[in-house]
């Protein structure tokens, strides 16, 4: 078990380092000169040289990389070439906004998928199960941003129940925060929920065929009791895998949904960075997103061990 | 025994309709999809404009028809890129010894940390937004799932007796890969291609929606959605039609993938 | 004394195919009854329908009554059946490797059946579980183990322990030793017999192995093609079989091993639902005549008899 933990941690750390090299290399080596990119093609050579000196872009690439990496470790994300403002605080602020969306979306997805997938599996030959299956199949085909647009049309335009867009920090006005959170969180959550439902269904179907479920019922547990006590944890193993992948998708999906609902999250920061040709900002945001994804994968690995005792003693 | 496979039929029909629509759009559309006519701005759906017109007076139906070309084009290239890299990688990972195989799969996992959209935005930031960068980025992002699926399929083939016999007979790895492994994973490739196609359609729509996909004036469903956003209160139909087009296309490819999977391996679904 | 289990006219069908027809079966209190037959004879389905655990689209008809339970078990709803299962009837299944939940400790799996039937408090259930493990000769430390840490034989003993937890009036064992190594089979059989004798529970023991029935059971029912073709005390049936199928089965297994030649019953067990009308065995029977196209009537008493038009041993009678 200890060995496995060490191995997983090692994989996580190596992945972090390798992906940081990839991100850095991609952003710094390929496009040519970030200072030139930041200033535009019409800038004078002197201005470009000045900017390069100012931000240390005239140093060797390894030096720049380690400087950037060291900053990352200290939580210092550097200074924007374009706005000349510190990037760290911005990213941190925006990350909180995005995390609200992702967490709320994930909760909605789980709340939708766990019961729906279970019912679909338990009644996979009955009309109700097939209807839910068809419904989830359609749900999978709707991208989150489209769901967002449709939700706006229905709940903001037609019914006028909820605001169509905007963002208020929870500390400032909790009621408004919730109102504005609902639609974007729903558009992320429902779509992911539809995807997740299908995995929950197949995981539960798999478990329903297991002998130990029959043993549980022979003990006197009713079907749903047996599924709840004996099936849940076993079905959770494959579902957690998908959940991890989905969190990554949600993080990225949030980028688009933020655009739909005009929410100042990490996604809009990234897109602003791209349109302002603020390469260091883009590089930082991408790195933060990748770190988040890798972190989720790492946690999923640890969850496996917690869920499945067989992995604890495996050599 | 032949069993009616509703997923396969429904998916096949949807995909066929989209392909047909794209083909027809080359020779005929109700109007020129890019024709701006200020006189007919934001028309409601009618006999002359079935789906109405947008803020520039362009016919929505014609745009959707031409937009299907973009969707299919991006899908084909992205899936092509993913397959051309992913399939050999998967087979290689199954055939080489443990150590290099582990490295390939780890690298593969790492790439999973860069979802299609993120990769495409990075590409857009560096190379400028275009259909080409979008396609390549989506394709690269789809490599890991291809490699993973093909590897597990190839591993099974490598354990079969005819491969063992071929190896015992001293055949070289490359001919084995070409003559035994590849033909036996084609069904997996087809299924994965269909599934990846659906993902590519979604990613293209999202990218165009963000403005990092197909640049104007080429019609694209995603950009139509983006342009519809300012009229959500006055003309929500502008969002509805391209939205439905995207959803149906994705649904079609997903169903096709599911149907193919059932067909190739009927045991997988609903065995008791 | 009352009979523990009374099965009358039990039939099991899937869609329109009959898998089990018209089975009568009685188990007295503390009695050990064997149910024997080849695979596909319907013996497992009979057991599962007593417990109400048939697969989704398989239906049971007829009557199953249990002493002390005031309702019919066939067609009873889940709420009532779940009170009977694990308390009045318990079951040990064939496949020990998959019968236990891999993510739950052994102790929790054993105590669970006591806790859901509220037969013991949590603390008492804990002690009882330790006692049960001792009964099946496993160390107390097994309580904290997970199934993957145990061997097949050990797991089957755990399954037995949790089946005995509530001192059931009837224990059903479905081929409990078939999946085990020969070396541990005897131990598990011994534990089963000791377990039911200690609790004066009745035992319904399903197997295809005649030798096992001979050591474990007092009375035996022979099933073929979804029907009971012969019943009686083990000595009687095994030494003087009446039904031609039983005769063939005995010759094939050759308990005395007097002859060196391997005897088999000609032909194969037909697939489910493809048994002939009339006597189900007539297509494989050397003695079959036109008479056998009619279903043979049951000859003898409820507990001892056979259903054959041309029974063996008539000449010596």
């Amino acid at each position: 078990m200890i060995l496995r933990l060490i191995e997983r941690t090692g994989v996580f750390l190596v992945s972090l380092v390798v992906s940081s090299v990839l991100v850095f290399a991609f952003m710094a080596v390929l496009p040519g000169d970030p200072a030139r990119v930041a200033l535009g093609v019409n800038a004078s050579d002197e201005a470009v040289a000045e900017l390069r000196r100012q931000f240390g872009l005239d140093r060797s690439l390894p030096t720049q990389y380690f400087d950037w990496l060291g900053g990352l470790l200290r939580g210092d994300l550097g200074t924007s070439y374009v706005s000349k403002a510190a990037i760290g605080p911005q990213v941190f602020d925006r990350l909180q906004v995005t995390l609200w969306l992702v967490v709320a979306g994930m909760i909605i997805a789980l709340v939708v998928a766990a019961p729906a997938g279970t019912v679909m599996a338990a009644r996979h030959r009955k009309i109700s199960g097939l209807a839910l299956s068809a419904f989830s199949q359609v749900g999978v085909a709707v991208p989150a941003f489209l769901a967002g647009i449709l939700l706006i049309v229905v709940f903001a335009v037609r019914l006028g129940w909820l605001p169509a867009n905007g963002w208020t920090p929870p500390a400032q006005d909790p009621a408004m925060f919730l109102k504005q959170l609902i639609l974007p969180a729903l558009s992320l959550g429902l779509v992911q929920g539809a995807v997740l439902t299908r995995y929950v269904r197949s995981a539960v179907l798999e478990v329903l065929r297991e002998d130990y479920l029959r043993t549980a019922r022979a003990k006197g547990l009713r079907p749903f009791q047996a599924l709840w006590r004996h099936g849940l944890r076993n079905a959770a193993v494959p579902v957690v895998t998908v959940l991890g992948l989905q969190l990554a998708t949600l993080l990225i999906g949030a980028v688009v949904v933020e655009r739909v609902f005009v929410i100042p999250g990490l996604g809009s920061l990234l897109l602003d960075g791209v349109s302002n040709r603020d390469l260091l900002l883009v590089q930082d945001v991408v790195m933060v997103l990748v770190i988040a994804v890798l972190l989720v994968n790492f946690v999923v690995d640890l969850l496996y061990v917690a869920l499945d005792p067989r992995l604890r003693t495996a050599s | 025994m032949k069993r009616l496979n509703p997923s396969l039929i429904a998916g096949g029909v949807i995909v066929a309709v989209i392909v047909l629509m794209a083909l027809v759009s080359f020779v005929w559309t109700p109007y020129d999809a890019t024709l701006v006519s200020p006189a007919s701005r934001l028309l409601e759906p009618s006999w002359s404009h079935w789906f109405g017109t947008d803020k520039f007076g362009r016919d929505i139906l014609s745009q959707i028809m031409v937009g299907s070309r973009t969707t299919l084009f991006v899908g084909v290239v992205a899936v092509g890129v993913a397959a051309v890299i992913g399939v050999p990688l998967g087979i290689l990972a199954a055939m080489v010894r443990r150590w290099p195989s582990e490295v390939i799969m780890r690298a593969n996992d790492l790439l999973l940390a860069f979802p299609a959209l993120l990769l495409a935005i990075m590409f857009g930031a560096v190379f400028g937004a275009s259909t080409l960068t979008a396609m390549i980025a989506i394709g690269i992002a789809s490599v890991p799932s291809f490699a993973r699926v093909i590897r597990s399929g190839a591993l099974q083939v490598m354990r079969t007796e005819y491969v063992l016999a071929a190896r015992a007979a001293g055949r070289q790895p490359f001919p084995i890969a070409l003559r035994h492994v590849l033909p036996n994973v084609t069904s997996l490739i087809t299924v994965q291609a269909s599934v990846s196609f659906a993902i590519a359609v979604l990613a293209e729509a999202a990218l165009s929606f963000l403005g990092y996909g197909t640049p104007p004036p080429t019609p694209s469903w995603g950009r139509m959605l983006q342009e519809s956003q300012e009229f959500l209160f006055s003309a929500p139909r502008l969002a509805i039609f391209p939205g439905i087009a995207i959803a149906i296309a994705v649904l079609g490819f997903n169903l096709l993938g599911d149907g193919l999977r059932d067909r190739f391996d009927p045991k997988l679904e609903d065995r008791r | 004394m009352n009979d523990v289990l009374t099965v009358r006219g039990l039939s099991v069908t899937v869609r329109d195919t009959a898998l089990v027809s018209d089975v009568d079966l009685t188990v007295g209190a503390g009695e050990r009854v064997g149910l024997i037959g080849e695979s596909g004879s319907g013996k497992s389905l009979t057991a599962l329908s007593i417990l109400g655990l048939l697969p989704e689209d398989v239906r049971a008809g007829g009557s199953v009554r249990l002493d002390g339970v005031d309702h019919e078990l066939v067609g009873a709803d889940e709420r009532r059946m779940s009170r009977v299962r694990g308390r009045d009837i318990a079951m040990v299944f064939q496949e020990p490797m998959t019968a236990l939940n891999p993510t739950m400790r052994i102790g929790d799996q054993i105590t669970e059946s006591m806790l859901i039937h509220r037969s013991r408090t949590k603390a008492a259930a804990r002690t009882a579980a330790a006692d049960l493990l001792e009964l099946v000769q496993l160390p107390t430390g097994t309580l904290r183990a997970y199934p993957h840490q145990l061997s097949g034989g050990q797991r089957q003993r755990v399954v037995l322990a949790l089946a005995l937890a509530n001192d059931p009036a009837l224990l059903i064992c479905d081929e409990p030793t078939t999946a085990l190594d020969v070396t541990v089979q005897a131990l598990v059989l011994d534990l089963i017999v000791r377990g039911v004798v200690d609790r004066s529970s009745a035992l319904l023991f399903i197997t295809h192995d005649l030798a096992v029935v001979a050591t474990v059971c007092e009375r035996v029912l022979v099933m073929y093609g979804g029907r009971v073709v012969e019943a009686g005390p083990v000595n009687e049936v095994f030494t003087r079989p009446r039904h031609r199928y039983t005769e063939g089965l005995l010759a094939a297994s050759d308990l005395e091993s007097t002859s060196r030649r391997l005897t088999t019953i000609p032909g194969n067990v037909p697939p489910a639902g493809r048994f002939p009308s009339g006597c189900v065995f007539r297509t494989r029977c050397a003695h079959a005549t036109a008479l056998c196209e009619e279903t043979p009537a049951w000859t003898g008493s409820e507990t001892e008899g056979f259903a054959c038009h041309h029974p063996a041993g008539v000449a010596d009678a």
Side-chain angles (χ1 to χ4, degrees), chain A residues 8 137 141 146 198 209 260, chain B residues 106 117 229 243 247 258 271:
Chain A
R8 292 287 99 187
Q137 183 69 267
L146 176 57
R198 302 175 65 72
R209 292 184 194 112
V260 176
Chain B
R106 287 272 180 246
L117 215 54
Q229 262 215 298
D258 279 7
R271 68 198 150 159

Side-chain angles (χ1 to χ4, degrees), chain A residues 38-63:
Chain A
L39 292 174
V41 276
N42 298 326
S44 66
D45 288 349
E46 293 77 41
V48 171
E50 171 59 21
L51 195 70
R52 286 174 63 85
R53 202 191 46 74
Q54 194 181 338
F55 288 101
L57 293 171
D58 48 358
R59 295 171 298 166
S60 74
L61 283 175
T63 319

